[in-house]
Amino acid sequence: MSSQQPSDEPVYADRVYRSSMGFVSGVLLLALTVWLCGDAVLRGTGNTPWIGLAVALCVVPLIVAFTIRPAVFANEDRMRVRNPFRIIELPWAAVDAVRAGYSAEVLAEGSKYQLWSVPVSLRERKKANRQQMRRKAIDRRDPGSAGDPTARGRASASAASEPMRADADRIVDELQGLAELNAARPGAQGSVRVRWSYEIIAPALIGALLLIVLIATR
């Protein structure tokens, strides 16, 4: 009788990266949309209630798609990118690079995919760079004289060499590190898979078409 041996490798939950500001903005926009469209449905006359429903059917999926939905999930085997209209699954072995310029993006198999949930803030990046330069300047002026000056100087130099990063740059560094660390894992092999999110696209298109028809026949 053969028995299945448990795996020695621990199982970790996915790391999740999403924009908290985008999530909050999405909730507020949804509340505003429900209030306005609900008022049109309850108090409107003629075609107004139907127009309110069509607007809600079109707008609500789009708000969810661009604010609440975007997220990046990463574990030891792969990265799953949930963008407004697509879901991209990228095994680490297929990832060529994760980088952040004016936007965060992942390169894989000759294609480029944006990470909508990791917005790049140039202002935050400049602020982090200024803080890093200021920290290095302070360490150069006051290397520390208490205790062992040599040891204090090495510790100060080590601390100054650790860059203070903007959130997007820090997240991109983490994802790039995961890709380099886990690319050789057996579970990280495979090709990129892309799936369109028809649960978002279909209701938005239906609502837009219904709205056009209602306005044209009003």
Side-chain angles (χ1 to χ4, degrees), residues 2 4 7 15 26 30 32 36 47 54 63 73 90 107 112 130 135 143 159 170 172 181 198 207-208:
S2 62
Q4 183 178 3
S7 174
R15 302 186 189 186
L30 285 176
L32 179 62
L36 294 176
N47 285 342
I63 292 175
F73 305 88
L90 305 106
L107 306 179
K112 179 172 65 177
R130 286 197 301 268
R135 181 178 177 182
R170 177 183 55 80
V172 164
L181 180 65
Y198 295 106

Short mmCIF file of all heavy atoms in Angstrom, two decimals, residues 2 4 7 15 26 30 32 36 47 54 63 73 90 107 112 130 135 143 159 170 172 181 198 207-208:
data_model
loop_
_atom_site.label_atom_id
_atom_site.label_comp_id
_atom_site.label_asym_id
_atom_site.label_seq_id
_atom_site.Cartn_x
_atom_site.Cartn_y
_atom_site.Cartn_z
N SER A 2 0.64 2.13 -0.96
CA SER A 2 1.45 3.34 -1.06
C SER A 2 0.74 4.49 -0.38
O SER A 2 -0.47 4.60 -0.43
CB SER A 2 1.69 3.68 -2.53
OG SER A 2 0.47 3.93 -3.18
N GLN A 4 0.77 8.77 0.26
CA GLN A 4 1.24 10.02 -0.31
C GLN A 4 2.04 10.79 0.73
O GLN A 4 1.58 11.02 1.84
CB GLN A 4 0.05 10.86 -0.80
CG GLN A 4 0.47 12.16 -1.47
CD GLN A 4 -0.73 12.92 -1.97
OE1 GLN A 4 -1.85 12.48 -1.78
NE2 GLN A 4 -0.49 14.04 -2.61
N SER A 7 4.36 17.30 1.09
CA SER A 7 5.45 18.11 0.56
C SER A 7 6.19 18.81 1.68
O SER A 7 5.60 19.26 2.66
CB SER A 7 4.88 19.16 -0.42
OG SER A 7 5.90 20.03 -0.84
N ARG A 15 0.80 37.16 -2.08
CA ARG A 15 0.98 38.57 -1.76
C ARG A 15 0.06 39.35 -2.68
O ARG A 15 -0.02 39.08 -3.88
CB ARG A 15 2.42 38.99 -2.00
CG ARG A 15 3.45 38.21 -1.20
CD ARG A 15 4.84 38.81 -1.39
NE ARG A 15 5.87 37.97 -0.81
CZ ARG A 15 7.15 38.30 -0.73
NH1 ARG A 15 7.55 39.47 -1.21
NH2 ARG A 15 8.03 37.49 -0.20
N GLY A 26 -13.08 54.28 -5.89
CA GLY A 26 -14.10 53.46 -6.52
C GLY A 26 -15.35 53.33 -5.67
O GLY A 26 -16.48 53.40 -6.18
N LEU A 30 -18.99 54.64 -6.80
CA LEU A 30 -20.13 53.72 -6.84
C LEU A 30 -21.29 54.25 -6.02
O LEU A 30 -22.46 54.18 -6.44
CB LEU A 30 -19.71 52.34 -6.32
CG LEU A 30 -18.86 51.48 -7.26
CD1 LEU A 30 -18.45 50.19 -6.57
CD2 LEU A 30 -19.63 51.15 -8.53
N LEU A 32 -21.95 57.38 -5.37
CA LEU A 32 -22.53 58.51 -6.11
C LEU A 32 -23.38 58.03 -7.26
O LEU A 32 -24.48 58.56 -7.51
CB LEU A 32 -21.39 59.41 -6.60
CG LEU A 32 -21.80 60.65 -7.41
CD1 LEU A 32 -22.65 61.58 -6.55
CD2 LEU A 32 -20.58 61.38 -7.95
N LEU A 36 -27.43 58.75 -7.74
CA LEU A 36 -27.98 59.49 -8.88
C LEU A 36 -28.90 58.63 -9.73
O LEU A 36 -30.02 59.04 -10.08
CB LEU A 36 -26.84 60.05 -9.73
CG LEU A 36 -25.96 61.12 -9.07
CD1 LEU A 36 -24.81 61.52 -9.99
CD2 LEU A 36 -26.79 62.34 -8.70
N ASN A 47 -39.03 57.89 -20.08
CA ASN A 47 -37.88 56.99 -20.26
C ASN A 47 -36.78 57.21 -19.23
O ASN A 47 -35.78 56.48 -19.24
CB ASN A 47 -37.29 57.19 -21.66
CG ASN A 47 -38.15 56.55 -22.74
OD1 ASN A 47 -39.00 55.70 -22.46
ND2 ASN A 47 -37.94 56.98 -23.98
N ALA A 54 -29.87 52.10 -17.53
CA ALA A 54 -28.86 51.88 -18.56
C ALA A 54 -27.53 52.52 -18.18
O ALA A 54 -26.46 51.93 -18.39
CB ALA A 54 -29.35 52.44 -19.90
N ILE A 63 -16.50 51.55 -13.42
CA ILE A 63 -15.92 52.04 -12.17
C ILE A 63 -15.21 50.92 -11.44
O ILE A 63 -14.07 51.08 -10.95
CB ILE A 63 -17.03 52.66 -11.28
CG1 ILE A 63 -17.57 53.94 -11.92
CG2 ILE A 63 -16.48 52.97 -9.89
CD1 ILE A 63 -18.74 54.55 -11.16
N PHE A 73 -1.40 39.58 -7.76
CA PHE A 73 -1.26 38.49 -6.80
C PHE A 73 0.02 37.74 -7.15
O PHE A 73 0.25 37.38 -8.30
CB PHE A 73 -2.45 37.54 -6.88
CG PHE A 73 -3.78 38.21 -6.70
CD1 PHE A 73 -4.46 38.74 -7.78
CD2 PHE A 73 -4.35 38.33 -5.44
CE1 PHE A 73 -5.70 39.37 -7.63
CE2 PHE A 73 -5.58 38.95 -5.27
CZ PHE A 73 -6.25 39.47 -6.36
N LEU A 90 1.30 34.88 -15.22
CA LEU A 90 2.68 34.82 -15.68
C LEU A 90 3.49 33.93 -14.75
O LEU A 90 3.85 34.35 -13.64
CB LEU A 90 3.30 36.22 -15.72
CG LEU A 90 2.56 37.28 -16.54
CD1 LEU A 90 1.85 38.26 -15.63
CD2 LEU A 90 3.54 38.03 -17.44
N LEU A 107 7.52 42.49 -18.39
CA LEU A 107 7.88 42.02 -19.71
C LEU A 107 7.96 40.50 -19.69
O LEU A 107 8.64 39.93 -18.83
CB LEU A 107 9.23 42.61 -20.15
CG LEU A 107 9.36 44.14 -20.10
CD1 LEU A 107 10.76 44.56 -20.53
CD2 LEU A 107 8.32 44.81 -20.96
N LYS A 112 4.49 43.21 -23.35
CA LYS A 112 4.55 44.09 -22.19
C LYS A 112 3.15 44.23 -21.62
O LYS A 112 2.20 44.50 -22.35
CB LYS A 112 5.11 45.46 -22.60
CG LYS A 112 5.19 46.45 -21.47
CD LYS A 112 5.93 47.72 -21.90
CE LYS A 112 5.17 48.46 -22.98
NZ LYS A 112 5.84 49.73 -23.34
N ARG A 130 14.99 62.81 -2.73
CA ARG A 130 15.49 63.93 -1.92
C ARG A 130 15.80 63.49 -0.50
O ARG A 130 16.81 63.88 0.09
CB ARG A 130 14.45 65.06 -1.91
CG ARG A 130 14.37 65.85 -3.21
CD ARG A 130 13.65 67.17 -2.98
NE ARG A 130 12.30 66.98 -2.47
CZ ARG A 130 11.22 66.87 -3.23
NH1 ARG A 130 11.32 66.94 -4.55
NH2 ARG A 130 10.02 66.71 -2.69
N ARG A 135 19.73 62.18 3.63
CA ARG A 135 20.25 61.22 4.61
C ARG A 135 21.73 60.96 4.39
O ARG A 135 22.52 60.88 5.35
CB ARG A 135 19.45 59.92 4.48
CG ARG A 135 19.86 58.82 5.44
CD ARG A 135 18.97 57.63 5.24
NE ARG A 135 19.36 56.53 6.08
CZ ARG A 135 18.75 55.34 6.07
NH1 ARG A 135 17.74 55.12 5.25
NH2 ARG A 135 19.16 54.37 6.85
N PRO A 143 29.52 61.12 10.92
CA PRO A 143 29.67 59.67 10.80
C PRO A 143 29.52 58.94 12.11
O PRO A 143 29.39 57.72 12.12
CB PRO A 143 31.08 59.51 10.23
CG PRO A 143 31.80 60.73 10.69
CD PRO A 143 30.79 61.84 10.70
N ALA A 159 23.72 51.99 6.12
CA ALA A 159 22.36 52.53 6.20
C ALA A 159 22.11 53.51 5.07
O ALA A 159 21.02 53.54 4.48
CB ALA A 159 22.15 53.22 7.55
N ARG A 170 9.37 50.18 -4.86
CA ARG A 170 9.58 49.11 -3.88
C ARG A 170 8.83 47.84 -4.29
O ARG A 170 9.37 46.73 -4.21
CB ARG A 170 9.11 49.58 -2.50
CG ARG A 170 9.20 48.51 -1.41
CD ARG A 170 8.65 49.04 -0.10
NE ARG A 170 7.30 49.54 -0.25
CZ ARG A 170 6.20 48.77 -0.28
NH1 ARG A 170 6.33 47.44 -0.20
NH2 ARG A 170 5.01 49.30 -0.39
N VAL A 172 7.84 46.97 -7.31
CA VAL A 172 8.47 46.41 -8.52
C VAL A 172 9.74 45.65 -8.14
O VAL A 172 10.03 44.56 -8.69
CB VAL A 172 8.77 47.54 -9.52
CG1 VAL A 172 9.75 47.08 -10.59
CG2 VAL A 172 7.48 48.01 -10.17
N LEU A 181 14.16 34.78 -7.90
CA LEU A 181 14.33 33.74 -6.88
C LEU A 181 13.62 32.44 -7.26
O LEU A 181 14.12 31.35 -6.97
CB LEU A 181 13.80 34.26 -5.54
CG LEU A 181 13.89 33.31 -4.34
CD1 LEU A 181 15.34 33.01 -3.99
CD2 LEU A 181 13.16 33.91 -3.14
N TYR A 198 -14.91 39.07 -19.53
CA TYR A 198 -16.20 39.34 -20.16
C TYR A 198 -17.27 39.71 -19.13
O TYR A 198 -18.27 40.33 -19.49
CB TYR A 198 -16.64 38.13 -20.98
CG TYR A 198 -15.74 37.85 -22.15
CD1 TYR A 198 -14.85 36.78 -22.14
CD2 TYR A 198 -15.75 38.68 -23.27
CE1 TYR A 198 -14.01 36.53 -23.22
CE2 TYR A 198 -14.91 38.43 -24.35
CZ TYR A 198 -14.04 37.37 -24.31
OH TYR A 198 -13.20 37.13 -25.37
N GLY A 207 -25.14 48.01 -21.45
CA GLY A 207 -25.64 49.27 -20.92
C GLY A 207 -25.43 50.42 -21.88
O GLY A 207 -26.31 51.28 -22.04
N ALA A 208 -24.25 50.47 -22.55
CA ALA A 208 -23.98 51.54 -23.50
C ALA A 208 -24.94 51.47 -24.70
O ALA A 208 -25.48 52.50 -25.15
CB ALA A 208 -22.53 51.47 -23.98
#
